[in-house]
Amino acid sequence: MNPVLSAFLRELPGWFLFFGVFLPVVLLLLLLIAYFRIKLIEVNEELPQIAHHQYKHKGGSSLHQKMKR
């Protein structure tokens, strides 16, 4: 297996290794990081609104509170 791997690496141009393998993988990882960062920011902005909305409805009379009494 070792001679096969060394022959493959000798024949493979360096620019192909960089632009064909390394660069697309790095760009994909950066894109995923940016996407999940944006989604995390959106969720962090929505959480206080949801908590305020739930707290607002807890104060009123609900079936759960009526059954508790």
Side-chain angles (χ1 to χ4, degrees), residues 1-55:
M1 172 100 177
N2 201 10
V4 174
L5 185 61
S6 65
F8 177 74
L9 290 176
R10 263 188 281 128
E11 295 295 325
L12 186 68
W15 61 268
F16 178 77
L17 188 62
F18 182 76
F19 289 111
V21 177
F22 179 72
L23 192 62
V25 170
V26 169
L27 291 177
L28 180 64
L29 289 175
L30 290 175
L31 185 66
L32 284 172
I33 290 170
Y35 174 76
F36 286 120
R37 183 174 181 265
I38 290 169
K39 289 296 177 185
L40 184 63
I41 290 171
E42 288 176 0
V43 168
N44 283 339
E45 289 174 353
E46 291 175 4
L47 277 177
Q49 296 171 356
I50 293 171
H52 178 69
H53 184 70
Q54 288 176 347
Y55 178 74

